[in-house]
Amino acid sequence: MKKIYTLIAAALLATGAAAQNPTAYFMEGSTFRSQFNPAFAPLRGYVNIPVIGGMNINVGGNLAVDNILFSRDGKLVTLCSACYHVLKRVNNDIRTDETIRDRVNRYRADEAPYIGDTEVLHYLEVLRDEVGFAELSKKVVKPLTGRKIGAYYGCLLLRPSKELQFDDPENPHILEDFIRAIGAEPVVYGQRNECCGGYVTVENPGYAKSRAELILDNAASQGAECLITACPLCMYNLNKAGSLPVYYFTELLAEALGLKEGEA
């Protein structure tokens, strides 16, 4: 059986800065380009600093791409939408683009080349495809009956859909299925898969706030009492706007399973 490596990926959220500006991936010379794909970084002396972008320091360090992605013939599970987005797209590039794969492996100088055989999963995919929402619902001891919860997807779980293959980018339902599994009522609203402003909040917090308020107002107008999300940055932006409570999906999962803080 393949090993499942669980990555608590909120600590790696900074990689999502480039993901919030996907155009940068296709721009020669973009300082954020290598945050999508390490093959675009110079072969020596390079590192990315969140928000600032690329700087010539050192591509190595105590948290290299090797430590995260190159567990051969295994599964890597993340709780974070931004990390999932970046890791899965990088892995896909290594698997499908011979030039990128060759450059990455020449830099790594490992005896066994990496060919993109790690399976990158979001924890929601594990719940859906490996545990099963029907089975999850059987484990619920404190169903969230009567609670009307809006699912907020944001940008990074769903697009580009051909690469991520996570859910229908226009009409997703995995979070709604999760909400039903924990005993609550999902509320569908138009802004659930639109951008919250992302890292724009660093440079233009007013714009990010206006985006978050639009999302929250739309959800409330359809009857949502709170929102759940799978992205730490989305949660930050939405909570900062503050008109509805916003929870990480794992918080409500723990509540439904009857877990208290500090219990595993």
Side-chain angles (χ1 to χ4, degrees), residues 27-253:
M27 295 172 60
E28 293 286 348
S30 167
T31 56
F32 289 118
R33 197 178 191 203
S34 65
Q35 289 184 355
F36 280 115
N37 194 323
F40 289 134
L43 294 180
R44 297 178 181 274
Y46 188 84
V47 72
N48 269 293
I49 306 298
V51 181
I52 296 174
M55 297 183 68
N56 287 314
I57 301 176
N58 191 342
V59 75
N62 58 7
L63 187 61
V65 175
D66 284 38
N67 305 135
I68 302 169
L69 196 56
F70 299 134
S71 54
R72 292 182 186 81
D73 194 31
K75 296 181 181 181
L76 185 153
V77 181
T78 175
L79 296 170
C80 168
S81 300
C83 303
Y84 170 79
H85 181 104
V86 175
L87 290 169
K88 191 160 186 178
R89 293 191 72 183
V90 169
N91 202 47
N92 183 67
D93 284 342
I94 294 171
R95 185 172 59 252
T96 60
D97 190 308
E98 184 177 355
T99 300
I100 292 174
R101 182 170 60 251
D102 178 66
R103 188 173 184 184
V104 168
N105 283 304
R106 282 191 293 109
Y107 170 76
R108 293 177 65 245
D110 196 327
E111 290 184 5
Y114 180 70
I115 59 173
D117 51 353
T118 297
E119 184 179 4
V120 179
L121 297 170
H122 194 280
Y123 187 58
L124 283 166
E125 292 178 299
V126 175
L127 292 178
R128 179 189 65 192
D129 302 329
E130 299 192 14
V131 177
F133 286 133
E135 187 64 27
L136 174 62
S137 67
K138 296 177 185 178
K139 306 295 184 183
V140 169
V141 297
K142 292 179 63 178
L144 308 186
T145 307
R147 291 170 66 170
K148 297 181 178 181
I149 302 172
Y152 179 66
Y153 291 87
C155 312
L156 301 177
L157 275 176
L158 302 171
R159 306 178 185 96
S161 59
K162 287 184 179 179
E163 291 182 45
L164 299 182
Q165 298 182 359
F166 180 81
D167 205 345
D168 184 334
E170 300 303 324
N171 189 28
H173 56 83
I174 187 171
L175 275 171
E176 285 80 8
D177 292 342
F178 167 78
I179 292 168
R180 292 187 188 94
I182 59 176
E185 178 185 343
V187 176
V188 177
Y189 60 101
Q191 290 286 319
R192 64 196 175 120
N193 56 352
E194 300 298 330
C195 184
C196 70
Y199 270 87
V200 172
T201 193
V202 176
E203 184 175 288
N204 190 344
Y207 176 75
K209 184 180 179 183
S210 69
R211 285 293 316 149
E213 287 175 342
L214 180 63
I215 292 162
L216 292 165
D217 290 347
N218 181 225
S221 73
Q222 299 304 308
E225 300 167 358
C226 67
L227 297 185
I228 59 168
T229 185
C231 175
L233 182 57
C234 296
M235 184 173 176
Y236 172 82
N237 283 342
L238 293 170
N239 271 327
K240 202 170 180 182
S243 61
L244 280 179
V246 183
Y247 302 101
Y248 216 73
F249 76 99
T250 49
E251 294 182 85
L252 297 192
L253 175 61

